[in-house]
């Protein structure tokens, strides 16, 4: 397959300093609202890149489940590969790829585990099937077959019950969440001729500096 000619010309808009909010979280929330309103598929989907203690990187898609002045929140199994890598090296990067809007947001920061109360509140807001799945899956561990996964889920369903009337499902001991506190947040808007707009907030103590980067 020849991919050399597979490209699109961007031209939906631009981004200038006067377009920016006072801080990157406010600006991110503005863009996220626009992504939701435009019908972008899973606008809260993000790539999270981590690295192990030796610096070997890995990345995967997860869902953003909260954002505020303190940073970006997501949930996962602490014993997964990303959980192990964040334990060894809490520095990570996030990427929000809003292709239909010709936009992306890049975040660099440090992840910290959430308090149990916050984890518990979110866990019990999930559909019961997802709660059971968190118990059934040893995330990132090898599994022999799909049938083995199905059997694990059936055992958990038998243990806790399939319906809300069967009682509350407890939070699995290895399941939790993280808040990524940003140090760098870049807003990228596609432009014609690959002359994209890249405006970057960089933390400087209690304030944010903004610079434009060449595309």
């Amino acid at each position: 397959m020849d991919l050399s000619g597979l490209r699109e010309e961007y031209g939906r808009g631009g981004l200038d300093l006067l377009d920016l909010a006072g801080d990157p979280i406010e600006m991110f929330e503005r863009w996220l609202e626009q992504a939701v309103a435009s019908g972008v598929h899973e606008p809260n989907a993000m790539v999270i890149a981590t690295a192990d203690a030796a610096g070997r990187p890995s990345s995967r898609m997860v869902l953003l489940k909260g954002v505020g002045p303190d940073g970006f929140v997501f949930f996962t199994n602490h014993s997964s590969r990303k959980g192990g890598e964040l334990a060894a090296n809490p520095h990570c990067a996030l990427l929000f790829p809003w292709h239909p809007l010709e936009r992306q947001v890049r975040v660099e920061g440090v992840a910290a585990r959430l308090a149990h109360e916050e984890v518990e509140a979110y866990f019990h807001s999930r559909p019961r099937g997802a709660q059971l799945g968190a118990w059934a899956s040893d995330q990132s561990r090898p599994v022999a077959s799909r049938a083995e996964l199905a059997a694990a889920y059936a055992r958990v369903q038998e243990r806790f019950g399939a319906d809300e009337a069967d009682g509350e499902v407890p939070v699995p001991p290895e399941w939790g969440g993280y808040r990524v506190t940003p140090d760098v947040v870049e807003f990228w808007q596609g432009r014609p001729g690959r002359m994209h707009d890249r405006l970057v907030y960089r933390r400087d103590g209690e304030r944010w500096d903004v610079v434009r980067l060449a595309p």
Side-chain angles (χ1 to χ4, degrees):
M1 182 184 295
D2 181 9
L3 303 179
S4 61
L6 191 60
R7 66 173 60 86
E8 291 189 21
E9 184 75 348
Y10 301 141
R12 291 180 61 94
L15 183 64
D16 209 340
L17 288 172
L18 295 177
D19 300 320
L20 296 182
D23 70 79
I25 298 300
E26 181 184 350
M27 185 66 189
F28 176 84
E29 290 177 329
R30 182 187 302 173
W31 269 23
L32 178 59
E33 288 174 359
Q34 292 171 7
V36 172
S38 70
V40 170
H41 179 65
E42 290 199 311
N44 60 327
M46 66 183 188
V47 179
I48 176 167
T50 57
D52 63 18
R56 291 182 292 263
S58 64
S59 62
R60 74 290 290 161
M61 295 288 288
V62 301
L63 295 179
L64 178 73
K65 287 299 179 180
V67 61
D70 294 333
F72 302 82
V73 171
F74 69 96
F75 295 86
T76 188
N77 189 313
H78 288 314
S79 295
S80 65
R81 179 175 178 178
K82 59 182 165 301
E85 291 181 352
L86 289 172
N89 176 11
H91 294 272
C92 62
L94 312 176
L95 170 66
F96 296 86
W98 294 322
H99 300 300
L101 300 180
E102 299 171 0
R103 288 176 174 175
Q104 57 180 307
V105 179
R106 299 175 59 247
V107 179
E108 299 171 25
V110 177
R113 288 192 180 192
L114 298 176
H116 178 72
E117 294 76 15
E118 192 168 355
V119 171
E120 190 170 43
Y122 171 71
F123 184 80
H124 290 133
S125 75
R126 304 177 88 204
R128 193 174 186 87
Q131 295 179 34
L132 297 176
W135 276 95
S137 173
D138 289 327
Q139 194 175 93
S140 299
R141 304 295 198 282
V143 61
S145 65
R146 184 73 203 183
E148 184 176 305
L149 280 176
Y153 188 90
R155 289 193 297 271
V156 169
Q157 192 174 53
E158 183 178 359
R159 176 182 175 184
F160 295 115
D163 301 314
E164 299 295 335
D166 293 316
E168 189 173 85
V169 179
V171 180
E174 295 181 337
W175 198 88
Y178 296 87
R179 177 174 285 106
V180 177
T181 301
D183 296 314
V184 178
V185 185
E186 176 182 331
F187 293 86
W188 183 103
Q189 177 73 61
R191 294 295 297 271
R194 294 301 189 257
M195 296 298 289
H196 313 307
D197 288 322
R198 298 178 62 189
L199 297 181
V200 183
Y201 294 81
R202 296 185 186 276
R203 189 186 296 277
D204 183 8
E206 296 299 314
R207 66 187 184 90
W208 293 93
D209 293 331
V210 179
V211 298
R212 177 182 285 274
L213 299 181

